[in-house]
Amino acid sequence: MSLLVGFSPHKDDHCAIDLACQLARSGGDDVTAVTVVPQGWPTPVAGATDREFERWAAEEGGACAEEARALLARHPDVASSSVWRAGRSVPQTLLTESTRLAARAVVIGSGPSGPHGAITITSKGERLLHSSPVAVALAPRGYRAGTDARITRADVAFRGDDASWSLLDRAAAVAREAGASLRLLTLAVRNRPMYPALVPGGEDMVFQRWVEQAEAAQAEAIDHLGSIGFAPEELEGVVATGRRWDEAFDQLEWTSGDLLVVGSSSSSIERLSHVFLGSSASKVVRHSPVPVLVVPPGRAG
Amino acid sequence: MTAQTTPRRPISFREQFLRRKPVVLKPVHREGEELARNLSTFQLMMFGVGATVGTGIFFVLGEAVPKAGPAVLISFVVAAIAAGLSALCYAELASAIPVSGSTYSYAYHAFGEGAAVFISGCVILEYGVSTSAVAVGWSGYFNELTHSLIGWQLPHALSVSPIPDLSGTEPGLINLPAVVLVLLCMVLLLRGATESATVNAIMVLIKLGVLVLFAVIGFSAFKADHFANFFGSGFAGVSAAAGTIFFSFIGLDAVATAGEEVKNPQKALPRAIIGALIIVSTIYLAVAAAGLAAKPPAYFAGPEMGEAGLAHILKEVTGNSFWSTVLAAGAVISIFSVTLVTLYGQTRIFFAIGRDGLVPRRFTHVHPRRMTPTFNTTVVAIAIAVVAGLVPADYLWDTVSIGTLMAFSVVAIGVIVMRRTHADLERPFKVPGYPVVPILTVLVCAYILYGLAPVTWIIFGVWTAIVLGFYLLWGRHHATLNTYTSDDEIAEPSGRRREDEATR
């Protein structure tokens, strides 16, 4: 199986490549970096300018593929290749290429405009997340992985609903392949209280019950994972909440081998098997300090 | 004192009926996340004004003036005194037993299971039925608004309940706007929507704005003749009207429960409660006096007052529909928020009852994604929508009042009982003028209760019998206290940190 990296030229985009190599090392995949350059007009008889454009695109593509190859060379233990493709839409071309390669995930970076260390979903990333039939891995801006970096822990965004349960098995498969441990994370922002609050403590009461339910669901999930062969010391569950998402995230400790696995929304009206971020999932992605793997519902990783 | 472990031996019904729930508090907030004690007295006062104004004043004149005549002004004062005294007692109980779930929970901790069940019936009237009543009132203003804005309104059959009301309006099929309003609020609550402090402040300003507008225009048509024969209806009329009006003061107790959020509750709470009460009463008296100034008492008994009464008075006084439309619009917007808030209150009270196992546990199931009790909210909202769609408001108002007055009387008695049985309990707020205030509260509540119509008492009796019947057949066997094994199972989320919080 292979992993496809969407490489953006001229942006010093090593993050996605580093992440892809880290994932590949953990799962025994090979990595293909794909650079997309603009396609010329599909005119029946190409004019001189069209040819010139195509020539420029080919040169550009070649240079970019070379740039990617150099970055890939920093991970000599990972089988990799670098190609360029002409296409009118970057996400669409990446998806076509991932189908052709039967890639199991598309890996992208965060672009140059977001804050350092955080994941920013670029417009291309957004489109990819809306239409990819395979998992999408997102690297935070400035992400670096060493030449021996592996995934050591898969953090599953789990909240006890049906979608979470189906995600659990796929995250377990990811962890199993990488030999990583699993951590169940239930993250939430507390509901704001109603004004005027006629019933004292009304929201605290509901929140307390929610936490109990989340803990019970985690315990059940950990039992389930234990029954499919995970050792107890490889399993952990954390419920983290706060008044804002960053407060909830602040309560978690992270290591350099963490990979946060989130499920895409199960209520996507478009195509049910595709990746599509729900409102909580997209908040989780944007606040995650570690790389995120977004997996579509109902399909094996 | 620490909470005891479960009695494992079978207990008699008498013991169960009288057993109290131990107070076990468990902080739900992390260090530094506790409630900040940062409300000033003034903010708390405004909070009280916001929670109170609007529940009833938009509808209550049509009910109260026919009972008391011009002396309705006295009824307002009586109801205000009852509400103020009750709120003070409520504040002491809330500070002594800092648990969630309102009067119902205090009764469970202070008096035992039987009293808690009785009170649960009362608070369902206070919140659930008042949501229905408010929705019915909203329906009238909604029709008035659509009528004056686009010259169209829902057909009579779809905006009046099928049960005939007391003023002789022709029955219809269903009060559709009221049903739709409750269901809309349900959808918002299911999605986890809440009303923020800012929105609340805006709603308060809208409510106050249109009420002041009404008062000013009403006084411009002042006729002293309307106040002639001031005490024509006698004291019976005054107390009957006070019973109906009491409904308009519900919400003042919200101040009492916010004691945790002020620095010095002993000073701030009474000031805030009394301050809010003075502001609210002044506005209510101004509205009532302006209504009477503009129209003779006999007018209020007519069908004109049945729906959107204040708007009709404005229309007749000014001769055009501009100001009445403004008032109707203000009422439609602000009463919507009142419905949302009271419906929310009812779901959370049911949640508290469900936690104790006295209604099925499903009422406490929280949706993992939305973090709202979906089953609870749906069932409660549908029940309230059915009542709002089928029952005319005249029956609802007095029912709300009787439930609330009963609950408040129990609270006042609770203050006295708790002082005797738990003399050493920490009370961040103590009722000033003990024991006069709680005794006076019971007396004033009893006086108003005495004036309520026999039909209200019958409805209340039947309802209480249903609630107790359900307890005997179902709740008694499923109470959490029958089976709990550790204090954690009955622990109350607590926003404040206190040592030695457990009591029994």
Side-chain angles (χ1 to χ4, degrees):
Chain A
M1 297 291 274
S2 63
L3 298 171
L4 185 144
V5 185
F7 183 72
S8 1
H10 312 313
K11 286 178 183 166
D12 193 18
D13 191 11
H14 60 86
C15 311
I17 284 183
D18 274 12
L19 174 62
C21 290
Q22 184 184 11
L23 291 171
R25 196 173 291 121
S26 311
D29 304 290
D30 56 80
V31 174
T32 306
V34 176
T35 307
V36 180
V37 294
Q39 191 179 36
W41 281 81
T43 39
V45 182
T49 45
D50 295 328
R51 284 189 206 291
E52 192 187 336
F53 182 80
E54 274 168 23
R55 249 192 330 271
W56 169 82
E59 268 170 36
E60 184 72 9
C64 294
E66 204 49 52
E67 191 182 324
R69 198 167 289 128
L71 290 169
L72 282 165
R74 300 202 299 209
H75 301 270
D77 57 324
V78 175
S80 60
S81 56
S82 178
V83 297
W84 65 271
R85 295 283 178 265
R88 289 169 61 186
S89 144
V90 175
Q92 196 49 53
T93 311
L94 290 179
L95 286 177
T96 313
E97 201 60 16
S98 80
T99 314
R100 198 180 64 75
L101 291 168
R104 65 172 186 165
V106 177
V107 185
I108 55 174
S110 282
S113 51
H116 209 77
I119 291 176
T120 307
I121 302 178
T122 58
S123 57
K124 294 175 190 126
E126 200 82 59
R127 168 88 169 84
L128 207 54
L129 284 171
H130 276 68
S131 49
S132 171
V134 296
V136 175
L138 301 144
R141 184 171 169 216
Y143 184 74
R144 272 187 186 281
T147 51
D148 55 352
R150 286 171 180 275
I151 298 301
T152 54
R153 181 166 65 180
D155 302 277
V156 194
F158 178 85
R159 59 183 173 198
D161 55 359
D162 291 346
S164 297
W165 281 97
S166 81
L167 173 68
L168 191 64
D169 283 338
R170 278 165 296 139
V174 171
R176 168 87 42 79
E177 260 176 17
S181 63
L182 261 176
R183 179 166 72 160
L184 303 183
L185 295 181
T186 307
L187 291 154
V189 167
R190 307 176 62 127
N191 279 341
R192 286 177 313 170
M194 178 76 89
Y195 272 89
L198 298 179
V199 180
E203 213 45 58
D204 281 347
M205 201 162 58
V206 173
F207 178 71
Q208 187 193 27
R209 175 71 71 209
W210 179 86
V211 170
E212 285 165 10
Q213 283 176 201
E215 284 168 351
Q218 284 191 351
E220 199 185 325
I222 285 177
D223 278 352
H224 165 72
L225 293 169
S227 74
I228 60 170
F230 281 89
E233 63 272 14
E234 292 176 320
L235 298 169
E236 193 190 346
V238 181
V239 178
T241 59
R243 285 169 300 192
R244 298 185 309 271
W245 283 101
D246 53 343
E247 275 188 10
F249 269 89
D250 280 351
Q251 288 176 66
L252 298 167
E253 48 84 25
W254 300 96
T255 63
S256 59
D258 268 312
L259 175 71
L260 179 58
V261 184
V262 304
S264 59
S265 172
S266 45
S267 59
S268 166
I269 42 163
E270 219 179 332
R271 281 167 288 184
L272 287 175
S273 64
H274 287 197
V275 160
F276 183 93
L277 282 186
S279 63
S280 312
S282 87
K283 299 280 182 3
V284 168
V285 169
R286 281 166 226 268
H287 283 91
S288 173
V290 297
V292 175
L293 183 69
V294 184
V295 298
R299 208 181 269 204
Chain B
M1 284 178 280
T2 55
Q4 65 159 31
T5 51
T6 346
R8 274 279 151 232
R9 63 186 176 81
I11 58 169
S12 72
F13 176 65
R14 191 187 136 78
E15 278 178 291
Q16 176 169 5
F17 202 72
L18 294 176
R19 75 176 164 194
R20 298 176 191 154
K21 188 180 171 193
V23 179
V24 184
L25 296 172
K26 186 167 101 178
V28 288
H29 301 275
R30 288 188 313 281
E31 197 78 11
E33 203 200 24
E34 299 97 350
L35 281 178
R37 291 176 174 273
N38 57 4
L39 278 187
S40 68
T41 307
F42 180 75
Q43 282 173 312
L44 195 57
M45 199 191 299
M46 288 299 120
F47 176 76
V49 173
T52 313
V53 172
T55 11
I57 190 65
F58 286 101
F59 336 113
V60 81
L61 288 184
E63 295 300 314
V65 177
K67 287 179 186 161
V72 74
L73 298 177
I74 309 292
S75 306
F76 268 99
V77 174
V78 172
I81 292 171
L85 290 172
S86 308
L88 287 174
C89 295
Y90 195 88
E92 171 164 330
L93 218 52
S95 84
I97 317 175
V99 296
S100 322
S102 189
T103 339
Y104 156 78
S105 305
Y106 305 144
Y108 206 163
H109 291 284
F111 295 118
E113 202 162 293
V117 170
F118 171 73
I119 291 291
S120 71
C122 296
V123 289
I124 291 172
L125 299 181
E126 182 182 347
Y127 288 90
V129 177
S130 83
T131 312
S132 302
V134 171
V136 171
W138 181 84
S139 164
Y141 280 96
F142 176 76
N143 276 336
E144 173 64 28
L145 184 65
T146 58
H147 180 73
S148 52
L149 278 183
I150 54 175
W152 174 90
Q153 69 178 58
L154 273 177
H156 184 75
L158 292 182
S159 39
V160 178
S161 63
I163 299 171
D165 69 2
L166 301 176
S167 65
T169 315
E170 193 189 331
L173 281 177
I174 186 173
N175 192 334
L176 194 61
V179 172
V180 170
L181 174 69
V182 174
L183 296 181
L184 270 179
C185 290
M186 173 185 86
V187 171
L188 285 177
L189 291 180
L190 285 176
R191 296 181 59 89
T194 53
E195 187 177 303
S196 67
T198 316
V199 173
N200 179 49
I202 294 170
M203 293 296 168
V204 175
L205 289 180
I206 293 177
K207 283 186 272 197
L208 294 181
V210 295
L211 289 175
V212 168
L213 168 78
F214 175 82
V216 169
I217 295 178
F219 277 121
S220 73
F222 188 88
K223 277 211 176 62
D225 297 354
H226 298 163
F227 292 91
N229 195 14
F230 192 79
F231 272 113
S233 306
F235 278 101
V238 171
S239 77
T244 309
I245 291 167
F246 187 73
F247 165 60
S248 320
F249 286 94
I250 293 176
L252 198 63
D253 39 324
V255 179
T257 60
E260 289 187 6
E261 296 181 48
V262 287
K263 283 199 189 71
N264 183 353
Q266 188 63 43
K267 264 169 95 176
L269 277 186
R271 288 181 185 175
I273 289 173
I274 292 165
L277 192 66
I278 289 172
I279 296 174
V280 170
S281 316
T282 310
I283 294 163
Y284 284 7
L285 282 171
V287 168
L292 283 167
K295 287 284 162 191
Y299 173 86
F300 291 86
E304 286 291 292
M305 282 303 285
E307 283 187 7
L310 300 189
H312 283 144
I313 293 179
L314 278 193
K315 198 187 280 182
E316 296 191 13
V317 169
T318 58
N320 66 54
S321 64
F322 177 77
W323 294 113
S324 68
T325 308
V326 171
L327 183 127
V332 164
I333 295 167
S334 59
I335 300 170
F336 169 75
S337 100
V338 173
T339 312
L340 183 72
V341 170
T342 36
L343 177 62
Y344 170 88
Q346 180 59 65
T347 62
R348 296 313 187 255
I349 282 172
F350 244 81
F351 195 95
I353 303 174
R355 235 169 23 147
D356 294 330
L358 299 176
V359 293
R361 285 256 155 198
R362 281 193 74 180
F363 281 95
T364 65
H365 184 263
V366 182
H367 192 280
R369 191 169 71 239
R370 304 212 183 285
M371 299 177 80
T372 55
T374 39
F375 175 77
N376 177 332
T377 308
T378 313
V379 171
V380 166
I382 288 175
I384 287 173
V386 167
V387 173
L390 302 183
V391 186
D394 347 25
Y395 295 104
L396 300 177
W397 283 316
D398 284 8
T399 318
V400 175
S401 287
I402 196 172
T404 314
L405 285 162
M406 281 287 179
F408 283 170
S409 309
V410 172
V411 164
I413 298 169
V415 167
I416 301 173
V417 171
M418 289 292 282
R419 287 271 184 117
R420 299 176 80 91
T421 57
H422 295 83
D424 52 350
L425 193 66
E426 189 195 335
R427 292 175 173 82
F429 173 75
K430 284 185 168 183
V431 163
Y434 179 87
V436 179
V437 166
I439 292 173
L440 212 55
T441 308
V442 178
L443 290 179
V444 177
C445 287
Y447 170 71
I448 301 177
L449 281 168
Y450 172 75
L452 287 170
V455 62
T456 310
W457 280 96
I458 293 169
I459 294 173
F460 181 71
V462 171
W463 170 244
T464 306
I466 293 172
V467 172
L468 286 176
F470 181 78
Y471 168 69
L472 293 178
L473 293 176
W474 197 91
R476 179 157 75 98
H477 304 294
H478 295 83
T480 309
L481 289 192
N482 293 348
T483 52
Y484 84 107
T485 48
S486 78
D487 283 352
D488 258 8
E489 284 175 48
I490 54 162
E492 288 282 338
S494 154
R496 72 170 117 147
R497 282 175 299 166
R498 261 167 62 179
E499 299 307 314
D500 188 22
E501 283 158 324
T503 180
R504 194 181 133 76

